[in-house]
Amino acid sequence: METEISAGLAARAEQDDLHTLGVEEEYMLVDAVEPRAAELVEEVFAELPDGMRDVVQHEYYRSQIEVASPPQLELGELTTSLKRLRSGVAAAAERAGGRLVAVGTGPATGPNARLVDKDRYHRMREHFGDLSPGPGMCGTHVHVSIPDPDTGVQVLNHLRPWLPILQAATANSPLFGGRDTGYASWRSMMWERWPTVGPTPYLRSHEHYLTLVADLEASGAMLDEGMLYWYARLSASYPTVEIRMGDVMPTAEDAVLLAGLTRGLVATLVREVRAGTSAPDVAHPLLMAAHWRAAHDGLEGLNIDMATRQPRPAGRLLRQLFDYVRPELERHGDLETVTVLMGRLREQGTGAARQRALLARGGSVGDVVDWLARATRE
């Protein structure tokens, strides 16, 4: 789900050679008292204000719901938009007898959720079987504008080595079925069951991209282009690249940090493409290892430095990314906001680290869900 960009915003972005961005977030619906997921999506939709219905939609399961921010140039406007969406949907969930929770997958035990009654979802279940049992999986998708598809494909190539560290920063699903899974992002491990999930392959051209999409659809590995679940892809409808490997994050500020770093990275890479710099053709198995490490360790452990192919503290690699994109953060007016939010992430840790810290202080899974519900709304 994406929303249209206004003509004025598009003109300003083109005039100043800036990149717009937007964020999609998927949330879990849980019971008002118990920490288990609740099939309340239709009841929540009935409680939404009219002005919010166009940017909220169903997800795969009845215990999920999704929102999309309008395209923005300013991180402040994005923050306001995400907070308005989160608070509005959270209030609707409460009126429907539940709570809205920004978490990668269900922390507590409970029955498997039923599908939303849409023909596409039923066809997916019939074709692919039960690849995602439980209450569903919730992610964050960041869209950043690009000048044209050919540039976009080259940007996808350049993005490949950086995405594991961004995934590590989003880790927010250590618990599943009432226990700690040993992973910072269990959603990532469950998500990899789908046949098209994984790092974007190295692409020769836009024509190569389209050929791969057509071949995958013909193979039966996906029903349509919407099931192209590479960690970064071109939008089928709008001139954006979509980065989609991360968990949904606990707070709106967490999501804004991811969006700011992602736009800074895409803008930096567009300049690399214009300068004729070739993207490093990182070996696919090494990328898979780095994404596994991101899911396992989050930001608090190690990840792989793609330049040396050696493990390094993930926090240092995130700082390296920040330093790399700093000029574009400054040019887009994002440097101060991203610097402050980077400091907050360093002090508090990822969502996974915050959940585990609460458990380490004697909290229960129910306490974790209570905290997530507050963080989501506030």
Side-chain angles (χ1 to χ4, degrees), residues 293-307:
R293 194 93 211 202
H296 186 271
D297 290 20
L299 201 60
E300 288 70 35
L302 300 175
N303 210 288
I304 300 172
D305 185 333
M306 292 298 173

Side-chain angles (χ1 to χ4, degrees), residues 146-286:
I146 50 170
D148 56 77
D150 291 310
T151 301
V153 163
Q154 297 306 313
V155 167
L156 293 179
N157 286 340
H158 281 272
L159 277 169
R160 296 167 80 242
W162 295 105
L163 293 187
I165 195 60
L166 285 177
Q167 179 184 357
T170 73
N172 186 38
S173 52
L175 308 180
F176 183 73
R179 64 182 181 86
D180 192 321
T181 63
Y183 282 78
S185 173
W186 188 241
R187 181 203 66 90
S188 296
M189 304 310 297
M190 297 178 69
W191 185 225
E192 286 181 3
R193 298 172 181 179
W194 290 85
T196 59
V197 171
T200 309
Y202 198 89
L203 301 159
R204 296 189 299 272
S205 63
H206 185 224
E207 183 179 359
H208 182 211
Y209 179 95
L210 295 176
T211 299
L212 284 176
V213 170
D215 288 347
L216 286 170
E217 192 168 343
S219 76
M222 60 188 201
L223 299 181
D224 51 46
E225 192 170 350
M227 291 189 68
L228 185 70
Y229 297 143
W230 294 342
Y231 294 147
R233 68 183 187 185
L234 302 181
S235 167
S237 305
Y238 297 92
T240 65
V241 292
E242 180 185 5
I243 289 79
R244 47 181 296 116
M245 72 291 137
D247 288 355
V248 67
M249 303 168 78
T251 71
E253 286 84 0
D254 292 324
V256 169
L257 172 59
L258 175 67
L261 287 172
T262 300
R263 174 166 66 178
L265 180 57
V266 169
T268 300
L269 298 179
V270 167
R271 293 193 175 274
E272 296 278 0
V273 170
R274 288 172 176 169
T277 305
S278 297
D281 189 0
V282 180
H284 186 82
L286 186 62

Side-chain angles (χ1 to χ4, degrees), residues 17 28 89 94 197 262 318 340:
D17 192 24
M28 194 75 61
V89 180
E94 289 164 13
V197 171
T262 300
L318 186 65
V340 169

